[in-house]
Structures are given as C-alpha cells and as structure tokens.
Amino acid sequence: DVKVTQSSRYLVKRTGEKVFLECVQDMDHENMFWYRQDPGLGLRLIYFSYDVKMKEKGDIPEGYSVSREKKERFSLILESASTNQTSMYLCASSSGQITDTQYFGPGTRLTVL
Amino acid sequence: GQQLNQSPQSMFIQEGEDVSMNCTSSSIFNTWLWYKQDPGEGPVLLIALYKAGELTSNGRLTAQFGITRKDSFLNISASIPSDVGIYFCAGTGGSQGNLIFGKGTKLSVKP
C-alpha cells in the first residue's frame, strides 16, 4: 500500500513565524504535490514537483515555497506565516505521468494566530 | 482554466438509502477519479475510471465515466453511517497538466 505521511497533524504558529510542513512517501513516486483545503473552495494546488530539485507553481503559490532534496520528501515552507494561511494542508504523491492517480497523506491542520 | 462542477454540495440521507452524485466538466476529460475524505483525514481513492463509458464497482460504490467524457457519477447503495464524509471527483483533461478537483459533496447519514 502507498503510504504518505505528514510530519504533524495539528500545528499552531504565530504570525510572522517561519513554518515547515514535511511530507514523506514510501513508494518511490516521482511526483509530489501540496494542496490547501478550505471550506467551500475544495482542494487548491500550491506547488508540485515531478523530480528531485524540480518544482512547479500550482494555482496559489504566493506566500509559499517548497523544497525537494530527496525523492521521498517534499517540504512546504511558509516564510512568514499569516492568518490567511490558516488551513488544512494536504500532501499527495503519484507515479509516472503527472496526471496519474494521487495518493494523499492525512493532512496537517495549521492555525496561524 | 478547466473547472469541475460537482453536485450536490451536500446531502442528508437516511441509513439504507441510495445516494447519487455527479461531476461535469466544460471540456473533455481523459481520467475520472473519485475520492472520499473522512473528517480530519486526507482523501482516499475509491474508484478510478480511464475509458469513456466505463462502469466500475467497489463494493456498494459504482462509478461511471460518461460517454461524452465530460461527466462522471458516483452511486452508493444502501448507505451506512460510516459513509459519512466528503466525496470528491477529480479528473485530467488534454489541455490541463494536473488533476482538477471538484469542490466536494458532503454526505451525512442519519442512523
């Protein structure tokens, strides 16, 4: 079974703090994704990566950056957290084509005070 | 860009009832996926569809890839309380590089 894990289930940070969200997958998938999920807005793609050290902007990259130094790990970074970044963050991975089935982690609920 | 319209937004049903939800697109899709998200968890893949007209079942769940390639539906038969959650459709189209997600259908089941 595909396993995608996220470093924290719940996180509370203060405005202006630098925040790291980590995601690890154990299936040697080439592609990894970060989404945020907000009520009424569904899943919105922040960034994705199709290879180590490669990254592509999604639909809402502003205020975020990512890092993929190893194939199994994809980090989402909030350089200076703001209250409007309070959300559920979901990591996903897929193999092969970038459009192939994605498998999700359990999510990190981030609250920025 | 491409968008998916998923309906209904929410459903309140009695245990034992059948459920139907659907997604439509303004353009042709090559793949349709259905996910379920339990409260506080990440989405889990239920069914994947790859060919127009394809009808696939997974237990009490049945999903179909529309003949026009612009729609898909998911049916749940004889609902039970653990069916509660948010159901998402997702798809990929020719001009779009990534999976596109519908906004979800929130299902509530009364015992």
Side-chain angles (χ1 to χ4, degrees):
Chain A
D1 276 354
V2 176
K3 190 147 186 214
V4 181
T5 56
Q6 294 182 228
S7 51
S8 306
R9 295 299 301 272
Y10 300 94
L11 210 52
V12 179
K13 296 291 182 181
R14 295 205 173 275
T15 301
E17 280 192 77
K18 190 168 185 174
V19 182
F20 292 87
L21 302 182
E22 303 282 341
C23 176
V24 177
Q25 49 92 5
D26 67 357
M27 286 304 292
D28 203 35
H29 282 173
E30 290 83 4
N31 312 309
M32 296 187 76
F33 306 80
W34 275 105
Y35 295 87
R36 63 177 284 176
Q37 182 179 23
D38 301 288
L41 298 177
L43 279 74
R44 293 182 291 167
L45 181 64
I46 304 171
Y47 267 97
F48 65 99
S49 167
Y50 54 87
D51 201 352
V52 175
K53 296 195 187 295
M54 306 302 288
K55 60 184 180 185
E56 295 283 344
K57 292 180 180 178
D59 300 317
I60 51 163
E62 297 78 19
Y64 303 94
S65 62
V66 289
S67 171
R68 187 137 182 233
E69 295 297 318
K70 293 185 178 180
K71 192 175 185 181
E72 68 271 17
R73 189 179 296 268
F74 193 34
S75 304
L76 180 69
I77 303 152
L78 287 65
E79 293 289 341
S80 177
S82 62
T83 54
N84 63 13
Q85 291 178 310
T86 291
S87 187
M88 169 74 120
Y89 289 88
L90 290 162
C91 174
S93 73
S94 71
S95 65
Q97 297 291 321
I98 202 76
T99 51
D100 279 1
T101 301
Q102 293 180 22
Y103 298 89
F104 285 84
T108 295
R109 183 160 292 284
L110 173 67
T111 301
V112 183
L113 303 174
Chain B
Q2 290 175 312
Q3 289 192 344
L4 282 183
N5 295 311
Q6 186 172 351
S7 65
Q9 280 189 326
S10 60
M11 304 180 76
F12 297 85
I13 62 167
Q14 201 75 34
E15 183 177 359
E17 287 183 12
D18 296 342
V19 172
S20 186
M21 59 192 79
N22 69 82
C23 271
T24 59
S25 165
S26 56
S27 55
I28 289 172
F29 272 40
N30 298 321
T31 305
W32 284 97
L33 306 172
W34 285 93
Y35 288 86
K36 182 195 176 199
Q37 185 177 26
D38 289 328
E41 301 291 332
V44 173
L45 182 69
L46 297 173
I47 293 178
L49 303 160
Y50 300 105
K51 281 172 47 176
E54 183 180 353
L55 183 73
T56 297
S57 293
N58 178 4
R60 293 178 296 107
L61 278 59
T62 303
Q64 184 159 30
F65 193 141
I67 289 289
T68 65
R69 295 170 65 191
K70 291 184 178 182
D71 63 339
S72 177
F73 70 75
L74 175 71
N75 287 343
I76 305 172
S77 62
S79 58
I80 58 178
S82 61
D83 289 334
V84 161
I86 302 176
Y87 291 79
F88 290 97
C89 62
T92 61
S95 64
Q96 180 75 26
N98 295 316
L99 269 183
I100 302 168
F101 286 85
K103 290 198 165 74
T105 295
K106 186 174 181 180
L107 179 64
S108 302
V109 180
K110 278 200 310 186

